[in-house]
Amino acid sequence: MRKKKIIVLDADGVRRTVTRIAYEILEKNKGIDNLAIVGIRARGAPLAERIVDIIEGIEKKRPLIGILDITLYRDDLSAIGEKPVVHSTEIPFNVDDKTVVLIDDVLYTGRTIRSALDAIVDFGRPKSIQLAVLVDRGHRELPIRPDYVGKEVSTKGNEVVVVRIKEVDGIDEVTIEEKTS
Amino acid sequence: MKTILIKNGRVIDPGSNLDRIADILIVDGVVKEIKKNIVKKPSYEAIDARKKIVTPGFIDMHTHLREPGREDEETILTGTKAACKGGFTSVVCMANTDPPIDDVGIVRLIFRCAEEAGFAKVYPVGAVSKGLKGEELAEIGDLYRAGIVAVSDDGMPVTNSEIMRRALEYTNMFDIPVISHCEDRFLCERGVMNEGYTSTRLGLEGIPSVSEVIMVARNIILAEYTKGRVHIAHVSTAESVNLIRDAKKRKVKVTAETAPHYFTLTDELVESFDTNLRVNPPLRSKEDLSAIVEGLKDGTIDVIATDHAPHTKAEKEVEFDAAPTGMIGLEIALGLILTQLIEKSHLTLPKAISKITLNPSSILKIKGGIIKLGEMADITIFDPEFEWECNPNEFESKSKNTPFKGWKMKGRVEYVIVSGRIVLKDGKIIV
Amino acid sequence: MRKKLHRKDLLGLEDISAEEIELILNTAVSLKEISERPIKKVPTLRGKTIVNLFLEPSTRTSSSFDLAAKRLSADTVTVSSSSSSILKGETLLDTARNLEAMRIDAAVVRHSSAGAAHFLAQRLKASVINAGDGSHEHPTQGLLDMLTIREKLKRLENINVLIVGDIAHSRVARSNIFGLKKMGANVSICAPPTFIPYYIERLGVKIFYNLNEALPHADVINVLRIQLERQGKELFPSIREYKELYRITKDRLQLAKSDVLIMHPGPINRGVELDPDVADGISSVILEQVTNGLAIRMAILYLLITHK
């Protein structure tokens, strides 16, 4: 059980933040040549979709898009035999020499991104890999830093950042919630 | 020899139509008195049998003692100890030893080993055919004079009808039965379990019930024609029961036995692939089981025999179809009779007891099976209410191959007296 | 979301739930993509050891399991009957004890005796995967057949599957029947009566002796390999006669639906149970079965092998 505490971003806030990230990606990479946007399941995938839509609106051209399921690369596959459900990975392009921008909802320990980096390089040798996250909540356990951050949120031990995305959760919002048990 | 006084037991002796509380006095190994209130003298060994049942010593007319040949599975010593633990004062051992009992030398060896062991009495069954090959008759007359009580090729059923016919004719002059393991070997060549829904589910080759029924029918027909005596071993199918029932009505000299597992277990259990459930004939269907119980009730099946078939752990701990057939039974027969037949009100206690005392003794014409004044005392005393859990590690038998491990049983054998000597006291073998 | 198989071992499809089958099929769908990558390997089972114990000849299933394990980065050892100490008289019990002593994580077992996988499962801490036990079950074959049907026809419910061949001695038939019935498909079988075990109708299958009568209803025809060594024994008189009565030919296929799927567990006796032009024709999904077999076996290994 969790108790809702603070709303960090509401639906409008999420929309504005995603838009800003899309602009930053375009600006930093000077257009969409060789650019591939790859969302990490579950919530990174719809975010990637939105970013690609925004970029297409600006550039009138759609960058490459893919979806990554990092389950098979996790370092915490459960000891009790209860396994995360594996969903498909869809990288319908050659990643060699591409600039791959990984999209995820929350950056926390960095372990998901470590898995995603391993997964991506199994598809080839990108020119570079960048990382965009909606929320960075700190407490990194690996030397990983994001290139694009929607919002930095500092949390205490008993707090969690919860991102809800319309396509997955029916609503767009980012909240800080307290663990009660 | 010490004088023994059994006090206040419920004496059930179907052979003398006795079922009442009485005392039994045994002097010099012989039953001296059966009556109420025999006065105890200090020199007597007194057995308090209150709330206990006193019966003639049980007779198991189908046992595999494995000696000579497979002493790693069982010996005459361990097998007769197991018999006493189970309340049996006599066991009839089958001919399929190695070498088989087709020679008087083997008969004498068995008698000598049994005497040295000093537990249950052993009555050998001779082979029908030399080497159990089903080709030429063994020297049955010689074997008879040496002391065999029946002939049988047991696990190697006599396929050749001519040999079976001649065996039935020949044994007629000694008035001993031909015990027949009924199985058409062509019909069950590859089979490892009963053919039915379970074998279909499990993909195990089936042994159809008709493979038994065909041979039961043939043997009845031959017995009727030759006027010989046939005893159908371990009946497992409903149709066999029907054939035997009809034959008895026609006064064919046919008798029959079944084993406790055929009135207790069905083929569905094989889905566990427990090799202890691999027996021959195989465990059959629920319908067969009910028919077996009916056969026991109406007397079609005269005898309950264990078909005690010891196999080592190594032999049984293999793939199901690689395992040898058989399970041990001497030390659980009473428990299964009490829980499966008496408790479920299929049989009365006297009737059940007749199937392990009077009936086998009269089929085989051996002593015992009755408590008779002036006769050697073979007596079993058991507590019918005692509850216990089956733990094969506590068995006297050398082999532990039973699927009943962990089963709740009833009835503990407390005393066994063989020829007037106490060999089991308070449930323990006296060495 | 987390889900699991409620078991240590995969021994058959008779005692597995529809939800578990669904989970295995869905996981296999997700894993198919790995085999299309330039680097066909994920690190999921790194450091895990899987023994492929093939005590009966098999190339197809054994290599499929081996490849599945390798694509998940597990280490594998294949022990086949020709190389094994079984030939030197080692019992299955000793084999089990040796495997346990080697601290393996899973054993894939093919054996000619029904129940052999159960035997090992009862004695090993490791997961045991039945790769075919006698005429009993071949669960991964049943699963890959279902995956192939679902992929092509988008569902399993109410699909009419016809299995043709020696049902009595077929583990493929049993696993298919158990699995398909659980998923709501209709199953018919067609064979001479000597190939049809008694009481099989209790499993909810419809029996045909005449192939021409059975064909029109089928959405899928699963053709079993005929075991040539049974010819001339009591079960059927000759291959010639079997071919006359039960071979799937192009002509016979005219009686079936135009979009019927032809499946075969392999290896095919070409021209015996199945004509080459049918095996290689447009209705055939036999190679898809092989591809899906790999994905199913990867899914099973992923779902069963626990991380300690």
Side-chain angles (χ1 to χ4, degrees), chain C residues 118-245:
Chain C
H118 299 67
F119 181 97
L120 288 177
Q122 285 160 11
R123 289 165 178 81
L124 291 181
K125 284 194 205 82
S127 292
V128 173
I129 298 158
N130 185 1
D133 61 330
S135 306
H136 181 214
E137 283 229 47
H138 190 355
T140 56
Q141 180 73 43
L143 289 162
L144 75 90
D145 288 345
M146 288 194 279
L147 180 60
T148 308
I149 297 169
R150 201 181 75 167
E151 202 172 77
K152 293 287 168 185
L153 304 178
K154 308 297 168 217
R155 65 193 163 95
L156 289 167
E157 221 178 335
N158 292 322
I159 296 286
N160 296 316
V161 180
L162 173 67
I163 306 174
V164 183
D166 184 357
I167 308 294
H169 299 94
S170 174
R171 51 190 170 221
V172 175
R174 280 183 182 77
S175 287
N176 263 281
I177 293 168
F178 293 139
L180 285 165
K181 292 301 294 181
K182 221 158 260 178
M183 303 311 281
N186 307 313
V187 183
S188 305
I189 55 177
C190 182
T194 47
F195 280 176
I196 296 179
Y198 284 20
Y199 307 104
I200 190 138
E201 65 282 355
R202 276 212 231 166
L203 295 177
V205 302
K206 203 171 163 195
I207 301 170
F208 289 94
Y209 301 132
N210 185 328
L211 186 58
N212 293 354
E213 284 170 21
L215 287 174
H217 315 280
D219 300 308
V220 177
I221 306 171
N222 200 342
V223 188
L224 301 176
R225 177 183 162 79
I226 202 77
Q227 285 167 300
L228 302 171
E229 62 273 16
R230 292 193 194 279
Q231 153 177 237
K233 303 269 171 65
E234 61 277 28
L235 294 184
F236 70 108
S238 68
I239 292 286
R240 199 196 65 81
E241 183 160 309
Y242 184 82
K243 287 199 294 194
E244 289 295 309
L245 295 171

Side-chain angles (χ1 to χ4, degrees), chain A residues 68-69 71-74 76-91 94 114 118-124, chain C residues 1-5 23 26-27 29-31 33-34 37-45 72 301-308:
Chain A
L68 211 52
D69 183 283
T71 308
L72 298 168
Y73 292 83
R74 287 170 69 142
D76 63 341
L77 284 170
S78 130
I80 35 173
E82 197 146 320
K83 297 296 177 60
V85 173
V86 185
H87 294 280
S88 63
T89 288
E90 295 161 27
I91 305 290
N94 185 348
R114 199 276 310 155
D118 280 355
I120 276 293
V121 296
D122 274 359
F123 285 86
Chain C
M1 192 178 26
R2 282 164 183 264
K3 281 189 182 171
K4 67 170 178 177
L5 295 181
L23 173 64
N26 292 344
T27 305
V29 169
S30 301
L31 295 175
E33 162 269 329
I34 293 167
R37 296 183 188 181
I39 297 171
K40 299 176 180 56
K41 205 178 184 71
V42 293
T44 318
L45 295 183
L72 294 171
L301 293 174
Y302 168 70
L303 292 167
L304 283 185
I305 296 179
T306 52
H307 290 249
K308 294 179 189 93

Side-chain angles (χ1 to χ4, degrees), chain C residues 211-212 215 221 223 243-256 262 271-279:
Chain C
L211 186 58
N212 293 354
L215 287 174
I221 306 171
V223 188
K243 287 199 294 194
E244 289 295 309
L245 295 171
Y246 295 101
R247 180 172 45 162
I248 306 291
T249 61
K250 227 171 175 177
D251 286 348
R252 280 221 168 90
L253 228 45
Q254 299 298 320
L255 298 168
I262 300 290
V272 181
E273 67 265 2
L274 196 56
D275 260 6
D277 48 0
V278 178

Side-chain angles (χ1 to χ4, degrees), chain B residues 189-190 195-197 199-205 271-273 313-314 316-322, chain C residues 14 92-93 111-115 118-119 122-123 135-136 169 174 178 197-200 202-203 234:
Chain B
E189 209 183 343
R190 291 179 301 263
E195 180 167 294
Y197 178 57
S199 67
T200 289
R201 278 174 49 223
L202 300 180
L204 284 170
E205 289 282 350
E271 70 175 13
S272 68
F273 293 104
K313 194 164 186 273
K316 278 288 194 182
E317 208 168 353
V318 294
E319 300 84 332
F320 192 83
D321 55 8
Chain C
E14 190 180 13
L92 193 56
L93 178 65
H111 195 292
S112 59
S113 296
H118 299 67
F119 181 97
Q122 285 160 11
R123 289 165 178 81
S135 306
H136 181 214
H169 299 94
R174 280 183 182 77
F178 293 139
Y198 284 20
Y199 307 104
I200 190 138
R202 276 212 231 166
L203 295 177
E234 61 277 28

